[in-house]
Structures are given as structure tokens and as C-alpha cells.
Amino acid sequence: MAGFESQNFDPQDNDLEREFQVHRTDSDYALAEFWKWAISCLIGLSMGCIGFAVDWGINLLNDAKYQSTANVLRSHGGFWAPFATFVSISIGYAIVAGSLVAFVEPLAAGSGIPEIKTYLNGIHIKGLLTVKTLVAKLVGVVFSIAAGLIAGKEGPFVHGGGIVGGGLGGMGSQTLWELLRGKVVPKARRKWGGFFHNDAEHRDFTAIGTAAGVATAFAAPIGGLLFTIEEGASFYSTSIFWRGFLSTCIGVLTLHFLVSCAEHPGEVLTTHFGRYRDFGLYTDSLAFYGSRMFYYVWDLPIFVGMGAIGGLMGALFIKVNVKITQFRHVYIPVRSPIRRISEVMLLVFVTSSLWFLIAYASPCKDLPPKDQMTYLEAVEDTSSYAGADEKSEDFYGGGGQFRKGGKEHFPQLWCSNGTYSSYGQVFFTPLSQSLRLIIHLGEPLPEGTDFLFDFGALTCLFLFSFTLMMWTNGVGASTGMFVPALAVGAVGGRMMGQMIRAIVQRSGSNLPVSLSSYAVVGAAAFMGGATRLTLTATVMVMETTGSLQLIVPLMLTVFVAKVVADYFGAGIDDTHIKMRGAPVLEEPSLSSHQKMIADKLTVSELMTMAVVALPPVVKVAQVVDTLRGCTHQAFPVTPDTDKAFESAEPFDLHGMILRSTIVKLLQHRIGLFTPDANGDIPPAKSHIPTTQQERLTLLERLEQRPLKVRPKEDYERIVCSLTEEELESMMDLRPFMQRNPFVVQADANLSRTYRLFRTMGLRHLFVGPPQPKVIGVVTRKDVAEANAKLALGRKANLGLTTNSDSLTRPDSLPFIPYGAYDPTVGSSQMSHMEPIDEREAHDGIEMNYTLDGEWQNSRPQPVERRSGRRGRDDTDTEHSPLLDRSPGSGNLTDAV
């Protein structure tokens, strides 16, 4: 775990930040909220454009490979010339895909889902979210799929979407700043969206980007959003849900619009949208999903069995892939780029050669009758809408079609006229197109008529795809595993469906069996078993295949697959996270084993007692020595620095300051001063500007995003730039330290501490004595908006914060207490009740806001009680008591 660096999602709460927030206006908050939604739209728009570009690239490269091979086959015939053409083009694509990982960005390898999930949980991975990684990832997946690897683009789109979301959320780029050598600062001002520069906001926009990435990869907006909620975001919030909902919608709409513009230029306004599925073979009007996808009650036990088989296959896939990953770690390490690219080339050579040999050795079968071919090769009537003869559903998945003037789904290849290659039908085509054929081919046929694939072809496709999928996952190229998992499962489901159909017919029954339903359920079963996704797998399969009628069997099958697979271990992404040793904190309720361990330990049994601390006002040279002497990323601020490090006695905690903040202070010479002759130290607020604009400028200089100061890489450069005079000066940490870090008692059990880290996104947690001192109590009612609004109104009257129109804005809702619904309460108390303002309904005390800006009680003041603050004169405006509350009461008294 030492190689990982945690993030701190706890918002800054120092004197400078607090002073700035106190004087923020309503319009500034409204502008920030506007940009939250606007940036979410930009993320969706960007991912829609990227999705279109990637699909176009895959389509172009696939078309070039298959068309070139078909041309050589038609002109030369035989085996060697077409084989050399097909394999050499595939290896050429593989060289590009492997080089982007081996020589440009190693983090572009694989799907990127484990890395993104690790980041969203609170672990920083250097270089994960850079522009270079984005380019290498998305360009690499184009060439990986075109090379014929058993891979898909969905995983890389999760990673790419996270990079786009994080970059647009921060409205800046460290990579571009480095490329421009600092001559131009690629960072937006606040009025153009430059609000969100802390780790928590960057995390949220990254999560929204992953949702948009999955949505545009599958053309499935709801499935993309559910993926982020179920698998990606460790810190789920309703705000992420709503903004992700908008982002995925915009992303898929953008993709559909661009595809329509490409397929039907000049006819976008007359083109019907929403007629294609990412894994659909025909338009919705031709597929007849409602009549073709169905199930009987006796199908359900079979689907449950398929779910169990899918779970076992998923567990086997993970088990073998772990062994391959161990071998790869030893013999094909990341630090050896030549070996990595050689493995990619070897894998592509094996895959493309095997696929070509199977297609070449395929038996030839007679074409279906002409009356069936009309349906099997169905193209929607061009009179229904402009440009309908173009089949843009192939474009969504980057399928690529090479057959010019021939049968689209029945390739002739080496067969004679009137026949087709039954194995080449699913092998001599991209994997995504094979998946479409397996699920949907024959759906337009009249009811009761089915198209049956050659069972030998299905068996070969199932075995070889499953085997090579285990090798491909984790190779040194940009690859995803969703499409391979769906394809393997769909083939297995189709095989099961054809067997069930044969059994039914042999029993003498003419009962039709939905082969498409079995293929769809099989696809969901294996995907659920490999990934452990439940709701996401169900909705994603349903959206991409049009199988709304199968939602109940899909849910049942996926759940069984997950339960069976969980018996053998974690899903593929969680397994790879554990193998890398990342300190990911899973949801406590998901692991009874983790809860058992945490319940039996206390914090004091795990804490470190030798704490490296800094005094509130410290010599710059001492700061430099402290940073050089340890690798800690945060330091408690206390006058008792020796006591904190050398003894086990409690010490006074004044705050906490991050290493990155200290480095920023040194870089910009902020907080430095030279004591006067008497050695007097100026007050902490002397370092805080007096105007709001100056405070904002100072805060922006201390921000770590989007232009970071890397403590390890940039620290020595900054220190070397300090003069002798600056090293002898003093640094005041008080205005810039976290005033209220989280503290837990030493005798608290580990479960409580774990929940704090997991729910609050903490990086550090200080441990205090078992019996801390208490000065008051806050209840749920105290922090409710209505009560807080009263306190803020009083504070505004004292001139301690910017006045807000929301304090005087009337609420249109009447006040009806819960007692009105209690039958034991007499109705006479409520008979004359009239609508009152929210401000007038605090625990039964009516409050009026006068013209001169004062809150007044409309009833006599209650008896004055002990003030909630002690030892402060009423003239001390910084600590003036605002509300005098007695425990358990809602009465307000004028304490000023």
C-alpha cells in the first residue's frame, strides 16, 4: 500500500476560506450552481462527440481490413494471399495499439475500470486522468478492436469519460499547461465555470464523466448512469444522480444526432431517431421485439440454471485471468515495453489466424429460401423516411461491413454460388457484429419460423472466445471486456435455446421457443457472473437489445449469477484492485468479514503515537527541514511539537495543514513575515485580505486544481528558490490550516472509525483521549434549514456576513405541524390556524422581520437562560453569541 497516495475529500475550513464564504453573495452561489449543470451538459456533449469519433474510426479500420481481404480473395482465391492480407493488417493495427501503451502511457492498458474505481474511492494514481492518457486510451481502443482482439470499447470509455469529466469540471489542464511551458494558463475564470477545484468536486465530475462514457459506448443512457452508481461512485449523492442523468441523456442524444448527420447528410430533420439499438441488427419496426422475445413459466428454471452456469463461468474466467496476470507481472512487466508490445502482437496473430482458419475450414450451407431471405436481409422500406436504406445501427458499435453488393449476413467467401460459409458467418466479422447476429438474426421472420445457426460454429465461437478472452483481459493494449462477456454469454444462451427447441419438437409439440430470449438471458448471465453487476447488467442488456419483455428473467438470472460467483470471490474489477494492494475502503455493510475484524479492534490498537507536528508560527527553515525529513502528507498544528512526537501524552490540537498547502505557501511566499524588534507576532487575520476579490485571488493561488504543485517532484525546485533571508523568516500557518479536523476517541472501535473514513472521504483522522471535554450539544433541529436561517439572519444584522435576499423571501407553503394529524390532539387548537411564514414557525415562537432588518418575537421574551458561549464580551463581534438556546427547547433570546 505504500505506493498509493490517498486523497482528502474533506472540504477546507481554514480562516481564509471561512472569511471568503461568509462574504459570498447569493448570485455567486447561483452562478456556481448554474455551472454545475452546464458542465454536466458539456461532459455529455463531449463524450457524444468522442463516441462518434471512436465508432467512426473502428468502422473505417474494420471496413479497410475486411474489404481488402475480400478483394484479395475475389482476385486470387486460395488461402495464403487472403490469410497474409488479413493477418498482416491485424498485426499492423496491433503494433499501433500496443505502442500507445508501451511507449506513450502505460496507464492506457486494459479497461481502466479498476483504476477509475480506485480513484473514486479516494486513492490518487499519478497520470490516471491526463490528456495524454485520454488520447492513448481512446485511439488505442480503436486499433485494438480493429486488430481483432476479443475486446470491446466500453471499459476504455469509462476511463475516458472520467478524464473528460474531471478535466471539464476543473476547467483547466495540467498537461496543456506543461505543453505550453507555462506561457498560457489553461484555466477558466469563475464566471466561465472555474469554481470547482477541490478533490471532492473533481471526484463528482469524474463520476459523472464515467456515466456519460458508458452511456455513449452502449448508447444506453440509463445503463450508463446505473453503472456509475452501482460500480463506480463510492460517494453517491442525489446531486451526482441528477447531473449524471442529464449528462448521459445529452451524450446519447449527441451521438444519435452525429450518426444521423453522417448517414443522412442534409436530412436530419426528416430522419427518425430512436429506432436503433447498440446491439440491434434491425430497426425496432422490423425486429418485432414484442412477439419475438418472450418466455414461458417453465423457462424460468432453465434461466436460473443458466444464471448459475454464468456465475461459474465468471468465477472460472477470473481465476484463470488472475494466473495469467501473475505470469504477466513476472515475465512481461510494465517496465519492459518491448515484451508488452510483443505480447500484443502475438495475441493478435493467434486470434486473427484462428478466426481466419475457422472461416476457411467452414462447411458451406445452402442459402435460406428466397421468401426467408427477404426477412433475414431485411432493409426497412425507404418510403417510410428519408435515407432508411442506410443501416446506422452497424455504426454505433463500430461493426464495419465489407460486403459490397453481396449478402450482408450470409458471406459466400470460399463457397460456391447459392451457398454461404456457416462458420464464416460469425467468425469472418467483428465481434460486435457477431453478437448482433447471435441475438437478432431471424427476428423479422414470420412467427413460428426461426433461423438456426450451425451448432458447430456456435460451439467453436463459444470455446475460443471464452479462452482468448481470459488471455486478452489485462494485455498491454486498451481493451474492455463487456462486449466479449456479452458475446460469450449470448452464444452459450443461443446454444441452450436451440437445444431446448429440439427437445420441445422431439416431444411432439409445436410450441415456439424464443431463441433470441435465450441469447439475451445468456449474455446477461455471463456478464453478471464476471462483473457482479446486477441492476446495471439488467438495464444495459435490456436497453441495447430491446428486450423489455425479459426484464424479470434478466433480473432473476443476473441475481443467481452474482450469488453463485460471489461464493468463489470478488468480481473481475475488484479482484484486480485487491491484487494491486490499493487501500480501497468498501461499503461496510457489504463485507461481514471486514465488520467482524473492525468490531474486535479499537483505534488505539492501530494508531501511530509518534506524530510529526508543526507549531502555528514556525521558522521557514524548520518547515523545510520537516518536509525533507518525512513523507507525511499532513501535519497537526500545535505548540507542543516535541510532546506530540516523543511522548504518549495528549497535546493541544490547533488544526491540521496539508503538505500540498505548505508547498503552495512556499511557492508563492504567502504567510511569511519578519518579527519586529520585540519579537511580536502579528494576529492571524493580518494575512487575510480585506476585500473579497483579494481573498479570491489568494484562494486561487493556493488551489491544487487544475494546476497542481506535486510535493515530491516540485518541492526541491521551490525550496532551492528560497533566499537565505526567506529561510530565516517566519511562516504563519494559522490562517491556512484546517481549523476543525476530525477527531475520534482512543477507545472507539474500528468500525466507527472505518465509517468516518468511508462516509466523509477522509485522509487523516486524529485520535484524542477517551474522555474529551464538552462545551455544548447540537441536535438535528439545530442544523435544520429553518433554524439555521434564523441564526444567519441575526448574524447578518450584526454585519458579520453578507445579507441575503433568501432570508426575507416569503415561503408560499403553510405551516401545518404534525400534531394536526394526531387524532388525540383536539381540533380547537387548529381551528383558527392561518398560513404563516416558515420564519414564524420555529418551535411555536412567531418571529417577525421588521423593516429595519431585526427579528422580533411577537410574544413576550422567555426567561433568559445560560448563554451558549462563555467568556466573551458582547462587543467581541468575531465571537458574538447569536442565539441563546436552552437544552431541549426551541426558544430564542436576544443575546446581543
Side-chain angles (χ1 to χ4, degrees):
M1 295 186 184
F4 293 95
E5 182 178 332
S6 301
Q7 298 185 96
N8 184 29
F9 295 145
D10 185 28
Q12 284 293 323
D13 187 23
N14 54 45
D15 292 349
L16 174 61
E17 181 74 26
R18 187 177 300 178
E19 191 71 17
F20 175 77
Q21 297 296 342
V22 162
H23 292 90
R24 283 186 70 183
T25 61
D26 286 0
S27 59
D28 195 45
Y29 281 102
L31 185 61
E33 186 67 18
F34 165 79
W35 276 109
K36 276 187 178 181
W37 292 93
I39 292 174
S40 300
C41 292
L42 288 175
I43 292 171
L45 183 67
S46 300
M47 288 310 301
C49 295
I50 290 173
F52 172 79
V54 169
D55 282 347
W56 176 82
I58 297 173
N59 191 68
L60 185 67
L61 295 180
N62 270 335
D63 207 35
K65 182 173 74 171
Y66 287 104
Q67 184 63 49
S68 298
T69 305
N71 290 338
V72 173
L73 177 60
R74 281 192 290 264
S75 60
H76 295 82
F79 172 79
W80 290 109
F83 174 78
T85 302
F86 186 80
V87 173
S88 60
I89 294 176
S90 298
I91 292 178
Y93 292 162
I95 293 174
V96 177
S99 298
L100 287 169
V101 170
F103 301 110
V104 177
E105 180 51 69
L107 282 172
S111 69
I113 295 178
E115 291 82 3
I116 286 292
K117 188 173 180 179
T118 301
Y119 172 81
L120 293 176
N121 191 262
I123 307 300
H124 174 72
I125 300 176
K126 181 183 176 183
L128 180 67
L129 301 177
T130 64
V131 175
K132 183 174 69 172
T133 306
L134 174 67
V135 174
K137 194 81 176 184
L138 296 181
V139 175
V141 77
V142 171
F143 283 90
S144 295
I145 294 175
L149 288 174
I150 307 302
K153 59 186 172 65
E154 289 69 28
F157 263 63
V158 173
H159 190 176
I163 297 173
V164 171
L168 289 177
M171 280 293 177
S173 172
Q174 178 81 16
T175 303
L176 293 179
W177 182 77
E178 292 173 353
L179 289 175
L180 297 172
R181 301 181 183 277
K183 296 178 181 179
V184 178
V185 180
K187 177 180 177 181
R189 302 178 64 85
R190 286 173 73 88
K191 67 177 181 180
W192 299 113
F195 281 90
F196 315 109
H197 295 153
N198 62 48
D199 287 342
E201 290 163 340
H202 188 267
R203 173 203 67 200
D204 292 347
F205 280 111
T206 301
I208 293 170
T210 61
V214 178
T216 51
F218 277 112
I222 300 177
L225 180 59
L226 291 177
F227 172 84
T228 296
I229 294 173
E230 184 176 0
E231 181 75 357
S234 296
F235 300 89
Y236 166 77
S237 68
T238 305
S239 176
I240 294 178
F241 180 83
W242 286 345
R243 288 183 282 146
F245 184 86
L246 176 64
S247 184
T248 56
C249 170
I250 296 295
V252 175
L253 177 61
T254 302
L255 176 63
H256 286 175
F257 177 79
L258 293 175
V259 169
S260 297
C261 289
E263 297 289 348
H264 319 299
E267 300 175 349
V268 176
L269 297 180
T270 59
T271 300
H272 291 184
F273 280 48
R275 304 168 72 88
Y276 304 108
R277 308 283 175 172
D278 189 64
F279 296 132
L281 196 63
Y282 311 98
T283 61
D284 287 4
S285 58
L286 290 175
F288 301 117
Y289 296 125
S291 61
R292 276 298 182 179
M293 292 190 180
F294 57 88
Y295 64 97
Y296 305 103
V297 67
W298 53 263
D299 280 324
L300 292 177
I302 301 175
F303 292 157
V304 169
M306 291 172 62
I309 295 173
L312 292 173
M313 287 177 56
L316 177 61
F317 160 69
I318 296 170
K319 185 74 172 178
V320 176
N321 183 251
V322 167
K323 297 296 184 182
I324 294 174
T325 302
Q326 289 177 321
F327 175 86
R328 193 175 278 142
H329 177 71
V330 175
Y331 296 102
I332 315 174
V334 175
R335 62 180 179 273
S336 179
I338 300 300
R339 293 185 185 181
R340 298 197 81 186
I341 194 173
S342 298
E343 185 197 11
V344 176
M345 294 172 62
L346 175 62
L347 178 58
V348 168
F349 174 78
V350 172
T351 304
S352 58
S353 298
L354 185 59
W355 256 237
F356 190 90
L357 284 170
I358 293 174
Y360 177 76
S362 167
C364 298
K365 298 181 66 173
D366 292 334
L367 288 171
K370 289 186 177 180
D371 58 337
Q372 292 188 16
M373 288 297 293
T374 304
Y375 296 100
L376 293 170
E377 294 283 339
V379 175
E380 195 166 25
D381 183 9
T382 56
S383 63
S384 63
Y385 71 98
D389 56 324
E390 299 292 340
K391 305 192 71 177
S392 57
E393 70 272 18
D394 293 334
F395 192 94
Y396 287 136
Q401 297 301 309
F402 69 91
R403 305 170 186 91
K404 305 297 182 182
K407 300 298 182 183
E408 183 178 356
H409 307 318
F410 297 86
Q412 182 177 351
L413 299 181
W414 291 271
C415 296
S416 59
N417 292 334
T419 62
Y420 73 98
S421 174
S422 59
Y423 284 41
Q425 184 179 34
V426 292
F427 277 93
F428 200 68
T429 192
L431 184 64
S432 59
Q433 184 68 5
S434 297
L435 173 58
R436 296 189 186 95
L437 291 169
I438 295 298
I439 294 177
H440 296 293
L441 186 60
E443 282 178 342
L445 287 169
E447 192 170 354
T449 306
D450 295 307
F451 176 80
L452 300 180
F453 286 95
D454 188 294
F455 203 83
L458 294 179
T459 303
C460 289
L461 184 61
F462 176 81
L463 292 176
F464 291 127
S465 295
F466 182 58
T467 302
L468 289 173
M469 176 186 174
M470 293 185 284
W471 182 8
T472 304
N473 190 64
V475 76
S478 179
T479 57
M481 60 150 290
F482 282 10
V483 169
L486 292 172
V488 171
V491 175
R494 187 86 179 198
M495 293 168 64
M496 178 68 74
Q498 291 190 186
M499 288 189 292
I500 297 297
R501 181 180 182 275
I503 293 172
V504 170
Q505 289 183 347
R506 287 186 181 182
S507 67
S509 174
N510 294 324
L511 197 67
V513 175
S514 175
L515 301 181
S516 295
S517 296
Y518 275 86
V520 169
V521 170
F526 184 50
M527 183 178 177
T531 64
R532 307 299 198 272
L533 297 173
T534 54
L535 186 59
T536 301
T538 301
V539 174
M540 199 173 289
V541 169
M542 188 177 65
E543 279 188 291
T544 55
T545 62
S547 52
L548 178 62
Q549 299 79 7
L550 303 178
I551 184 169
V552 173
L554 286 173
M555 293 174 68
L556 184 62
T557 303
V558 169
F559 179 77
V560 172
K562 173 178 170 56
V563 171
V564 172
D566 280 344
Y567 179 79
F568 299 94
I572 183 65
D573 297 323
D574 291 331
T575 298
H576 278 269
I577 291 174
K578 291 179 180 179
M579 289 174 63
R580 294 166 192 178
V584 170
L585 301 182
E586 293 291 348
E587 191 174 342
S589 59
L590 294 180
S591 175
S592 58
H593 184 69
Q594 184 276 331
K595 179 173 174 57
M596 180 271 294
I597 295 173
D599 286 345
K600 298 179 186 300
L601 293 172
T602 62
V603 180
S604 59
E605 294 174 295
L606 295 173
M607 69 180 182
T608 300
M609 302 188 68
V611 181
V612 179
L614 290 171
V617 180
V618 59
K619 196 174 183 179
V620 174
Q622 182 181 344
V623 173
V624 172
D625 292 340
T626 301
L627 296 183
R628 280 177 171 166
C630 67
T631 60
H632 300 171
Q633 299 300 315
F635 302 91
V637 179
T638 175
D640 306 322
T641 56
D642 294 336
K643 188 177 181 181
F645 185 78
E646 296 174 357
S647 72
E649 295 296 322
F651 59 88
D652 293 333
L653 180 65
H654 289 198
M656 179 191 72
I657 191 162
L658 299 176
R659 174 185 285 262
S660 58
T661 303
I662 297 174
V663 174
K664 281 280 188 178
L665 293 174
L666 292 174
Q667 180 188 26
H668 298 292
R669 280 43 171 192
I670 299 172
L672 273 61
F673 68 95
T674 301
D676 56 21
N678 298 326
D680 294 334
I681 298 175
K685 284 196 172 183
S686 64
H687 300 286
I688 299 178
T690 56
T691 67
Q692 188 72 343
Q693 183 58 45
E694 290 175 338
R695 297 187 199 105
L696 174 60
T697 302
L698 183 55
L699 281 173
E700 289 178 341
R701 297 175 73 185
L702 294 176
E703 287 174 344
Q704 271 292 96
R705 298 185 184 277
L707 306 181
K708 302 178 183 178
V709 169
R710 300 180 176 92
K712 294 181 181 179
E713 294 84 351
D714 300 331
Y715 171 70
E716 287 299 331
R717 175 181 56 82
I718 294 172
V719 169
C720 292
S721 67
L722 295 171
T723 65
E724 288 295 331
E725 183 180 354
E726 289 170 338
L727 288 171
E728 294 300 319
S729 63
M730 305 296 290
M731 174 180 283
D732 193 346
L733 302 180
R734 293 173 297 174
F736 313 106
M737 66 183 182
Q738 182 84 331
R739 281 287 186 181
N740 304 293
F742 284 87
V743 180
V744 67
Q745 294 168 240
D747 56 354
N749 65 11
L750 186 59
S751 295
R752 185 178 185 85
T753 308
Y754 188 96
R755 288 194 300 271
L756 277 173
F757 273 103
R758 182 62 173 75
T759 57
M760 304 305 298
L762 303 180
R763 181 172 184 171
H764 307 89
L765 186 61
F766 293 106
V767 181
Q771 297 178 343
K773 296 180 180 180
V774 176
I775 63 171
V777 64
V778 177
T779 68
R780 175 187 289 266
K781 292 181 181 179
D782 293 324
V783 299
E785 182 181 356
N787 193 40
K789 190 183 292 187
L790 293 174
L792 183 59
R794 178 63 57 83
K795 191 171 183 178
N797 292 336
L798 296 175
L800 302 180
T801 184
T802 304
N803 203 354
S804 173
D805 294 337
S806 63
L807 297 177
T808 58
R809 189 179 300 123
D811 196 331
S812 59
L813 296 177
F815 171 62
I816 304 177
Y818 278 103
Y821 300 98
D822 188 347
T824 63
V825 178
S827 60
S828 60
Q829 300 179 18
M830 308 295 297
S831 58
H832 300 291
M833 185 188 69
E834 295 182 0
I836 58 177
D837 187 27
E838 181 188 73
R839 300 184 308 271
E840 302 170 353
H842 183 72
D843 289 340
I845 304 298
E846 298 181 2
M847 303 295 296
N848 297 321
Y849 196 80
T850 61
L851 294 177
D852 59 353
E854 291 288 344
W855 288 100
Q856 293 182 351
N857 290 350
S858 61
R859 289 185 286 180
Q861 296 284 342
V863 178
E864 185 175 356
R865 303 179 187 270
R866 185 171 70 91
S867 173
R869 298 186 184 271
R870 298 175 298 167
R872 296 290 181 183
D873 185 76
D874 290 345
T875 59
D876 185 356
T877 58
E878 181 179 357
H879 299 281
S880 293
L882 302 178
L883 297 174
D884 192 4
R885 299 290 306 272
S886 61
S889 74
N891 298 338
L892 305 175
T893 61
D894 200 344
V896 180

